[in-house]
Amino acid sequence: MLKNVISFTSAAVIAVGALSGALVFSTDASAETILRFSHTDNPGGSRQAAAEVFAKKVEEYTEGRYKIRIYPAGQLANDPKAIEQLQLGGVDFTVSATGSYATHLPSLNLTAMPFLVDTYEQGWEFYDNSDWLKSEFAKLPEKGFRVLSTWEAGFRSFTTRMELNSPADAEGRKMRVYPNDMIRWTMEAIGFQTVVMPITDVYLSIQQGVVDGQENPVDTIKSLRFYEVAPYITLTRHVYSPLPLTVSEKTWQSFSDADKAAVKKAADEAATFSRNLVRDSVNSQLDEMKAAGAKISTPEIGPFRDAVASVYEKAKGIYGDEVAKVLADTADIRKRLPAK
């Protein structure tokens, strides 16, 4: 949503239309445009930190023509609603898990297939250089928004009210998921019953026993304090879950070519900041949560990998050859950039 804020200099002349009563402005004033950035992370989280970097650089690189007002913690909308607002032009920017955009481009569900990559570097290579993913992102402008860069959240793991040592511990338990088929299939393959709800409702729902846990990257678990109500943190790292930064296509087309280049440069630099911040913060965040009473474990991953094998076959039944393209891309990346 664009909101023009006009600053008038002392040279401004205001003439009052005698008959109509209208105000007629004649001024040499400069104008700045306020852009709205919505996200669901708390003010102390990495998304907010990266959003502040982005906002500062946009203002700098556009020489003050554009300023970004950030609305954290779902103040304007939860993730699905923020994406809808991008399409309508009610929000100018948002940042959310790739799977959140799959409602508008179902093939993006495939980025949430389990255990595609093992390291941040592999994930960055996939998001920056995969021909398949580039072609999918290129389809988004016709949906009303476009990807500017990919920020980081990390690998999804579990926080639960009970120990989760193997898929057997998931049987009969309720797991919160966001509206994404691939995540839901993965949770159900592990053995959970799934409950779809906005992330802004999760803390209270765990506290009240509506669900037994949730799954998100460590950075999100720490920022939204899920470990307080679901103290068992199980580091399965079952899905790589970065955060594409998107802009409303209406907003994008309102920019001059120079301002498009400036916003893109700011987005790329904020992405580098986000990636380094999240990657380098995981261990200290785990230490802080452990000191606060969280119980952290790394289970044997084999049983979880075995449990979700059916997800790939289910995906092939819907997405056909697209699944093979994603698996080939990520297999090549894992080979070229092996985990150390």
Side-chain angles (χ1 to χ4, degrees):
M1 181 181 192
L2 301 182
K3 178 182 178 183
N4 290 325
V5 181
I6 310 298
S7 302
F8 297 100
T9 69
S10 58
V13 176
I14 303 177
V16 180
L19 295 178
S20 66
L23 291 178
V24 180
F25 296 94
S26 174
T27 179
D28 61 357
S30 61
E32 65 184 29
T33 299
I34 304 298
L35 303 172
R36 306 200 331 165
F37 189 139
S38 174
H39 69 81
T40 55
D41 198 14
N42 275 345
S46 68
R47 266 177 263 191
Q48 176 69 13
E52 290 172 359
V53 169
F54 178 59
K56 180 180 179 180
K57 290 183 178 294
V58 165
E59 182 175 357
E60 175 186 350
Y61 296 153
T62 65
E63 299 178 331
R65 289 187 297 279
Y66 290 94
K67 292 186 177 181
I68 294 176
R69 186 169 295 154
I70 305 166
Y71 296 86
Q75 290 177 20
L76 293 184
N78 60 32
D79 288 313
K81 292 297 183 183
I83 296 168
E84 290 177 8
Q85 285 299 309
L86 285 181
Q87 297 174 299
L88 298 172
V91 163
D92 300 294
F93 302 98
T94 195
V95 60
S96 185
T98 317
S100 297
Y101 301 99
T103 300
H104 307 281
L105 185 63
S107 57
L108 291 180
N109 272 314
L110 298 178
T111 64
M113 285 192 291
F115 300 110
L116 285 179
V117 296
D118 302 316
T119 68
Y120 288 102
E121 291 74 16
Q122 291 172 1
W124 299 342
E125 178 69 12
F126 179 53
Y127 272 78
D128 292 346
N129 296 314
S130 163
D131 289 338
W132 175 83
L133 193 51
K134 286 179 181 179
S135 70
E136 298 310 295
F137 282 168
K139 300 172 184 176
L140 292 176
E142 67 185 33
K143 306 295 182 180
F145 53 91
R146 68 173 57 217
V147 173
L148 291 175
S149 64
T150 302
W151 294 5
E152 191 57 84
F155 289 83
R156 303 180 81 88
S157 288
F158 292 102
T159 46
T160 54
R161 300 197 303 162
M162 73 293 171
E163 291 187 8
L164 183 63
N165 297 316
S166 73
D169 294 327
E171 293 296 330
R173 301 291 188 168
K174 293 182 179 179
M175 176 59 54
R176 175 267 173 179
V177 296
Y178 68 97
N180 177 271
D181 286 343
M182 204 65 60
I183 295 292
R184 180 170 56 82
W185 296 343
T186 298
M187 296 302 102
E188 291 171 351
I190 290 172
F192 288 108
Q193 299 175 28
T194 55
V195 179
V196 176
M197 69 174 64
I199 197 168
T200 47
D201 296 344
V202 174
Y203 186 102
L204 186 60
S205 294
I206 296 175
Q207 190 175 50
Q208 295 178 341
V210 176
V211 292
D212 295 295
Q214 65 85 50
E215 48 85 53
N216 256 300
V218 167
D219 183 77
T220 305
I221 293 168
K222 173 69 165 54
S223 172
L224 299 183
R225 308 177 74 88
F226 291 140
Y227 62 92
E228 294 180 343
V229 289
Y232 292 92
I233 301 176
T234 307
L235 300 175
T236 48
R237 293 164 54 93
H238 48 272
V239 170
Y240 177 60
S241 188
L243 305 165
L245 167 68
T246 47
V247 59
S248 165
E249 188 64 12
K250 290 181 180 180
T251 302
W252 181 254
Q253 294 303 333
S254 74
F255 295 152
S256 67
D257 288 346
D259 287 336
K260 287 177 180 177
V263 171
K264 181 65 169 70
K265 181 180 179 183
D268 289 341
E269 292 180 4
T272 298
F273 171 87
S274 170
R275 286 174 169 181
N276 291 335
L277 175 64
V278 172
R279 179 194 59 189
D280 297 342
S281 298
V282 170
N283 290 336
S284 62
Q285 289 175 331
L286 290 171
D287 287 343
E288 289 178 37
M289 289 188 285
K290 185 175 181 179
K295 301 170 180 63
I296 299 168
S297 65
T298 302
E300 183 181 349
I301 298 300
F304 288 93
R305 287 183 180 271
D306 292 343
V308 302
S310 61
V311 174
Y312 304 108
E313 294 304 315
K314 195 165 187 176
K316 289 176 184 176
I318 294 177
Y319 300 101
D321 292 342
E322 297 299 296
V323 175
K325 294 177 184 178
V326 176
L327 295 179
D329 263 7
T330 52
D332 176 65
I333 290 168
R334 290 198 307 273
K335 183 179 180 180
R336 288 188 288 107
L337 300 173
K340 298 179 181 178

